[in-house]
Amino acid sequence: MDLEKKRKKLCKGRGKGEGKVEVESSFSICDLPDAILQLIISSLPTKEAIRTSILSKRWEHLWRDISNIELEEGEVEERRQFMHFVTRLLVTCNCSSVKKFSLSCIVGEDANLVNEWLSGFINPKIEELSLQFEEIPEPLVFPDQLFTCATLTEFKLDMQHVLKLPSSVHFRCLRTLTLSNIIFSDTYSTQRLFSGCPALEDLSLIDYNLKNVEVVCIYSPLLRRIYIRENEDDMLDEDDDDDTGGLNVTNSCKVLIVGTNLKSFTYHGDCMNEYFLVHSTLVIDASIQVQVPRTGTTPGK
Ligand SMILES: *[C@@H]1O[C@H](CO)[C@@H](O)[C@H](O)[C@H]1NC(C)=O
Ligand SMILES: *[C@@H]1O[C@H](CO)[C@@H](O)[C@H](O)[C@H]1NC(C)=O
């Protein structure tokens, strides 16, 4: 049986029919067990997956156990529709089945709603999580269970805001962590985060902000790849937005990286912070690109 072909056929049918889909009577896709059909449905874009509910009585409920949800806000004019769609999805799908969740949207005045989505979709068995938020007026509330999730293997978080961490952080299986635009709130919680990832292999820190942090040690015995990009100009621009939580612009952080298995180290930036590589004799692939800071544009210096 060629599943891929069937999936294509199914998608094609749906695309053309827009609500009037005919599944050929001899077509054996319906002979497949629910579990397989759910896998197929989960591989479709979320909106398409939900549309499979119109195929037949049996399909009406199949999509609810969808394991992969990807939600990306589109045009500004369609925001209301998007908000409505996600809120409906939250109450209709079986959130306990979601293993892979991706959400990208503007928060704006809907922080409460976004917090509701986060606590609904992020279940304790989640495996991959990708969150991207813009225009965040107040700290978002991530469910505490996220930070002690034992199944999470991949976590991407992109938000230009202070990351508030609970007192306990332990990602037992987290292998890939990508943090973009995050403002770390203080030395202790930042250390808690990096100490709570014992299985980390791949770490990317992009335009992050360590102004409130004095020193942090990034250590994981399995750490193989580190990518760091920081740009002082970006950070200073953020300060103007007044949502950075009263940063100390003149502060630079000492970042200790202890990676006995580190194979690749990439740094692009202007040395806002100081980096120390410790016990990293095995680095095979290092790329360090330092930009000369522009003079005359740095206030407070
Ligand atoms: C929801 O999903 C979980 C995990 O896949 C499953 O055990 C449970 O039976 C489902 N609940 C319903 C109401 O279908
Ligand atoms: C900013 O950090 C520097 C160096 O640590 C310190 O001397 C200074 O007092 C700090 N300023 C503020 C406003 O916190």
Side-chain angles (χ1 to χ4, degrees):
M1 258 186 251
D2 187 345
L3 285 184
E4 187 55 28
K5 218 185 232 162
K6 287 188 173 168
R7 193 177 72 85
K8 279 199 184 125
K9 196 163 181 177
L10 183 69
C11 298
K12 218 159 88 192
R14 236 177 333 91
K16 267 192 284 188
E18 279 295 274
K20 259 186 65 196
V21 180
E22 285 185 41
V23 178
E24 298 160 39
S25 54
S26 63
F27 190 52
S28 53
I29 188 159
C30 292
D31 298 337
L32 292 170
D34 286 1
I36 304 280
L37 291 177
Q38 272 153 357
L39 274 180
I40 297 172
I41 292 171
S42 293
S43 73
L44 298 171
T46 304
K47 273 196 176 159
E48 308 289 306
I50 295 168
R51 277 192 215 149
T52 60
S53 65
I54 58 172
L55 287 176
S56 75
K57 260 266 164 303
R58 179 175 168 217
W59 286 78
E60 211 173 287
H61 300 285
L62 274 178
W63 73 270
R64 288 175 207 264
D65 284 321
I66 191 169
S67 61
N68 173 26
I69 291 183
E70 288 173 37
L71 303 164
E72 189 180 347
E73 187 178 353
E75 303 294 321
V76 183
E77 317 68 270
E78 287 165 22
R79 181 170 171 84
R80 290 186 76 88
Q81 259 171 293
F82 175 78
M83 303 311 265
H84 184 68
F85 174 78
V86 180
T87 304
R88 287 261 314 142
L89 180 64
L90 181 63
V91 293
T92 38
C93 85
N94 178 0
C95 293
S96 315
S97 294
V98 179
K99 294 205 169 94
K100 209 173 149 181
F101 180 67
S102 160
L103 171 64
S104 169
C105 70
I106 289 173
V107 177
E109 290 174 355
D110 297 299
N112 287 342
L113 204 52
V114 173
N115 287 338
E116 250 173 65
W117 299 348
L118 290 174
S119 71
F121 287 114
I122 300 177
N123 67 60
K125 297 272 183 65
I126 197 102
E127 291 171 15
E128 289 177 39
L129 191 58
S130 171
L131 304 170
Q132 193 206 5
F133 299 115
E134 287 172 47
E135 297 175 29
I136 308 161
E138 54 188 290
L140 291 171
V141 183
F142 297 95
D144 277 358
Q145 64 188 31
L146 164 62
F147 294 96
T148 49
C149 181
T151 49
L152 194 67
T153 59
E154 194 175 324
F155 185 22
K156 286 187 192 161
L157 179 61
D158 181 343
M159 62 170 196
Q160 206 174 85
H161 208 279
V162 175
L163 176 62
K164 293 234 190 281
L165 291 162
S167 55
S168 170
V169 179
H170 186 66
F171 294 108
R172 201 177 73 198
C173 293
L174 190 67
R175 290 201 297 267
T176 305
L177 178 63
T178 304
L179 300 173
S180 308
N181 297 305
I182 302 289
I183 300 165
F184 291 98
S185 62
D186 61 86
T187 301
Y188 291 107
S189 74
T190 307
Q191 191 56 57
R192 213 154 58 226
L193 173 64
F194 289 110
S195 301
C197 308
L200 197 63
E201 292 175 18
D202 193 328
L203 174 66
S204 301
L205 298 170
I206 298 164
D207 296 334
Y208 66 146
N209 195 318
L210 287 172
K211 290 295 182 190
N212 295 322
V213 181
E214 283 160 32
V215 57
V216 62
C217 178
I218 298 173
Y219 169 73
S220 159
L222 302 174
L223 197 61
R224 296 173 62 82
R225 180 186 164 273
I226 289 194
Y227 175 86
I228 292 171
R229 195 183 80 194
E230 60 179 354
N231 187 316
E232 192 163 24
D233 287 346
D234 283 357
M235 309 272 173
L236 292 171
D237 287 348
E238 281 163 35
D239 281 355
D240 297 339
D241 292 349
D242 210 19
D243 60 353
T244 48
L247 294 173
N248 189 339
V249 179
T250 56
N251 221 359
S252 106
C253 175
K254 290 183 174 52
V255 182
L256 256 66
I257 298 165
V258 186
T260 41
N261 269 307
L262 198 64
K263 300 280 186 291
S264 164
F265 177 78
T266 307
Y267 175 87
H268 290 179
D270 46 16
C271 295
M272 290 178 71
N273 299 297
E274 296 172 67
Y275 294 90
F276 303 88
L277 279 181
V278 188
H279 296 312
S280 303
T281 46
L282 288 171
V283 176
I284 320 174
D285 175 22
S287 155
I288 298 176
Q289 209 176 319
V290 177
Q291 292 145 15
V292 181
R294 288 209 308 256
T295 49
T297 56
T298 317
K301 273 203 172 166

